[in-house]
Amino acid sequence: MAAPFTLRWGIVATGGIAECFVRDLVTDPSLRGVTDVAHQVVAVASRSVDKAQTFIDETIPADMRAHVTPYSSYADLYKDPAVDCVYIATPASGHYACALEALRAGNNVLCEKPFTVNAQQARHLAQVAKEKNVFLMEAVWTRFFPLVKTFQRMLHEEKMIGRVHRVFVDFSVYIDPEKNKRLYQASTAGGALLDLGVYMNLWTLLTCYHHPENKRSPPDVIKAAMLRSPLTTDLVDESTSVITVWQKPNIMCIGTTSMMTDTPKECLIRVQGSKGEMIIPIHASRPEKIIVNLEGNGMNTRTYNYDIPGQGLFWEADAVARDIRDGKKEDDLYPLEECIFAMELMDEIRLQTGLKFPDDVEKVQS
Ligand SMILES: NC(=O)C1=CN([C@@H]2O[C@H](COP(=O)(O)OP(=O)(O)OC[C@H]3O[C@@H](n4cnc5c(N)ncnc54)[C@H](OP(=O)(O)O)[C@@H]3O)[C@@H](O)[C@H]2O)C=CC1
Ligand SMILES: O=C1OC[C@@H](O)[C@H](O)[C@H]1O
């Protein structure tokens, strides 16, 4: 058997998700049945070199740690020739500037969600990636779950529940303001919409935007409402609701997101069709189960379970490794056009609800 293609990662920022991502990168790919690609962490950058070194010591097994360089600035990591792909895991407010600098230095980039703060920034990154002829993708990891592929096949190809009429999506997680300051500050582009709403919009796109009769068109109606958090003078949103109407496939979609309350365990995504319904219990970001209720002589329920041998971030990493191995500059499953469309949807929701971040967070560099 041929040796796997190994992608060498540079990690930018050492917070919660960077730790989860690296723990997944260092797991043996064969445990998830993958033999064609593998991963190696070769550099970690933090605003403090001690923090970078501690991160390396705590997340990377001793036998894989010898050739990992700690950096005291993100910019230094972008210049490291040993890095094949930079993973950006700063708060949302930092994504655009970090990704831009990394791309301009000639790096392939996987950038955490939300990709940027607005669509103009997203379009700019896509343009720079094209000019530099490098790979770029937003790290919406859930898109790469085997369960999601099956869900889309059952819904759109097999039409298991017949014609889709309505979709309900909720992604809500209580976020403690004391423990998660970044989400209660406008300076770090906080609030439920940009952080959790990415998953609300993800399932809206998977069910409606991807519907074969919709042909990747925008919705005909978008109506948004927002509740601002009284816990901060920054007035970030604690809850946001969005109704979209997709005329071509004739679907009404109701999406909700909140950082003040949790999604009920039993139902997070409910797609109602002419022959039954499909339900995904929590979590929208890390789904493990599809429940299909088919109407007939009594309700016929089938449950499809999916094991996740880790956190599940490795599936997006595997996709990036294959793309870079094959010389692709964007991913077929999640192309930049769709990522920009998702940011345009965010912009429209923010326009209707008046949610603005400080000028230095929203700005686009020349
Ligand atoms: N895909 C997923 O499942 C998840 C994705 N995310 C996304 O990842 C990103 C990071 O989230 P998360 O890891 O939870 O955040 P954390 O607050 O845990 O970590 C963010 C890191 O960014 C660096 N940083 C740079 N500038 C700042 C700043 N002004 N304030 C605070 N930290 C800063 C710090 O690293 P250092 O000190 O080393 O420079 C910090 O540790 C967000 O965009 C979030 O939406 C978050 C959770 C899950
Ligand atoms: O991206 C995310 O942000 C918020 C988390 O609670 C969620 O699980 C994660 O996927």
Side-chain angles (χ1 to χ4, degrees):
M1 202 194 305
F5 169 82
T6 300
L7 190 67
R8 298 169 303 168
W9 291 89
I11 308 298
V12 168
T14 58
I17 192 60
E19 181 181 335
C20 295
F21 186 69
V22 168
R23 287 195 192 284
D24 264 13
L25 286 183
V26 299
T27 60
D28 179 354
S30 69
L31 296 176
R32 56 183 180 277
V34 169
T35 51
D36 61 329
V37 290
H39 306 277
Q40 194 187 349
V41 177
V42 293
V44 173
S46 170
R47 293 164 302 168
S48 136
V49 76
D50 291 346
K51 209 172 159 207
Q53 188 59 58
T54 305
F55 180 91
I56 292 168
D57 295 343
E58 289 178 356
T59 57
I60 303 177
D63 60 335
M64 299 182 184
R65 220 181 276 156
H67 304 291
V68 190
T69 310
Y71 287 107
S72 60
S73 94
Y74 302 160
D76 287 344
L77 182 144
Y78 307 145
K79 291 181 233 148
D80 186 338
V83 170
D84 294 324
C85 187
V86 172
Y87 168 70
I88 294 169
T90 65
S93 52
H95 292 180
Y96 168 68
C98 288
L100 187 61
E101 199 176 350
L103 293 169
R104 282 183 168 158
N107 291 284
N108 298 304
V109 171
L110 173 66
C111 179
E112 260 308 332
K113 39 69 54 177
F115 191 48
T116 51
V117 168
N118 57 49
Q120 214 192 336
Q121 293 179 342
R123 283 191 285 269
H124 188 210
L125 292 184
Q127 178 205 322
V128 174
K130 197 169 180 192
E131 283 163 12
K132 289 285 181 180
N133 197 29
V134 291
F135 178 86
L136 175 63
M137 191 177 89
E138 180 188 19
V140 185
W141 59 310
T142 318
R143 285 177 178 265
F144 299 91
F145 274 44
L147 174 147
V148 170
K149 289 177 197 167
T150 309
F151 172 84
Q152 288 205 282
R153 197 193 65 233
M154 287 172 168
L155 189 68
H156 297 315
E157 291 172 35
E158 296 167 10
K159 302 193 190 310
M160 220 177 226
I161 57 166
R163 276 201 79 83
V164 177
H165 297 307
R166 272 203 307 182
V167 179
F168 295 92
V169 184
D170 181 57
F171 189 58
S172 302
V173 181
Y174 172 69
I175 309 276
D176 187 332
E178 293 306 315
K179 293 186 188 145
N180 286 284
K181 297 232 180 315
R182 73 171 172 86
L183 287 176
Y184 285 85
Q185 298 169 164
S187 62
T188 39
L193 177 65
L194 279 195
D195 198 70
L196 308 175
V198 168
Y199 299 104
M200 168 182 76
N201 289 345
L202 163 68
W203 288 94
T204 302
L205 298 193
L206 292 175
T207 51
C208 304
Y209 178 78
H210 281 226
H211 190 287
E213 287 167 38
N214 186 59
K215 300 190 171 66
R216 308 286 203 272
S217 311
D220 299 275
V221 177
I222 303 172
K223 296 274 182 207
M226 190 173 271
L227 179 65
R228 304 305 180 95
S229 171
L231 301 180
T232 150
T233 51
D234 282 11
L235 295 179
V236 297
D237 67 308
E238 71 167 49
S239 296
T240 295
S241 301
V242 183
I243 297 176
T244 47
V245 174
W246 306 75
Q247 216 78 65
K248 285 188 197 127
N250 214 46
I251 306 174
M252 163 82 82
C253 177
I254 297 141
T256 51
T257 185
S258 175
M259 58 180 194
M260 250 319 117
T261 185
D262 291 316
T263 296
K265 278 198 179 51
E266 54 294 336
C267 185
L268 162 84
I269 296 141
R270 182 188 296 270
V271 185
Q272 296 179 302
S274 54
K275 293 186 186 163
E277 61 180 12
M278 286 169 78
I279 292 172
I280 299 198
I282 62 167
H283 268 285
S285 62
R286 192 174 178 276
E288 289 177 276
K289 202 185 272 193
I290 306 173
I291 300 168
V292 183
N293 292 322
L294 293 177
E295 287 160 12
N297 290 335
M299 196 64 94
N300 168 0
T301 299
R302 286 180 225 165
T303 302
Y304 302 82
N305 290 300
Y306 291 81
D307 183 38
I308 308 174
Q311 181 64 16
L313 291 150
F314 37 59
W315 284 310
E316 72 178 347
D318 292 344
V320 173
R322 289 187 188 108
D323 286 338
I324 291 176
R325 176 196 65 191
D326 299 343
K328 291 186 177 169
K329 305 306 166 197
E330 52 186 297
D331 184 79
D332 291 340
L333 201 63
Y334 190 31
L336 288 167
E337 187 187 356
E338 185 168 342
C339 170
I340 290 167
F341 172 70
M343 287 312 307
E344 286 169 348
L345 186 54
M346 287 289 192
D347 278 4
E348 176 59 26
I349 296 165
R350 292 206 297 131
L351 186 70
Q352 289 188 18
T353 51
L355 178 66
K356 283 194 189 125
F357 295 107
D359 289 349
D360 63 323
V361 173
E362 299 264 9
K363 78 169 180 233
V364 176
Q365 294 179 32
S366 48

